[in-house]
Amino acid sequence: MNRYERAWLIFAVLMVAAFLGIIAYFNFAAGLKPPHDVEVIDPLRVSQDPRFSQPRVEEVEPGKRYNIYMVARMWSYYPREIQVPRGAEVRFYITSPDVQHGFQVVGTNVQANVIPGYVTVIDARFEKPGEYLIVCNEYCGRGHHFMRAKLRVTEGY
Ligand code: CUA
């Protein structure tokens, strides 16, 4: 075999090994994986799920932990207003009975797609009291730009 041919062959094999190594490293050592435990939900039965038939803020531990059950649908969020105290652990559960929406709390890093058939779970903590605008950043039809809600972060519990 030609000297250069062999050198390039070895180089190519080393490259493949390096790429596989990077994937293996992030998968096993760093624990970065694609989501694998995402909850599925029948979009036609969203209103029969007790969490989403009454969208609400649930106080798990007063002042410390809150679950927010939210429905994103054309073209509104339910509930339209939510309130949590600053610094609390907040877990959003959001689903859509119709099309894909883009949940975003403006001015924070809280943002996720809401896809019919799935329950989107987002963990958040809001350190700055005030009023935050929640918008939809995924075009979802004629009323897309009306789709919003309000998050109020209070001084304390
Ligand atoms: Cu919902 Cu755009």
Side-chain angles (χ1 to χ4, degrees), residues 75 100-102 136-140 144 147:
W75 293 286
Q100 181 171 341
H101 300 280
C136 176
N137 62 16
E138 182 77 41
Y139 182 73
C140 54
H144 160 72
M147 188 163 169

Side-chain angles (χ1 to χ4, degrees), residues 41 94-96 99-101 113-120:
I41 184 170
I94 316 171
T95 195
S96 162
V99 300
Q100 181 171 341
H101 300 280
N113 286 328
V114 182
I115 300 167
Y118 296 91
V119 176
T120 298

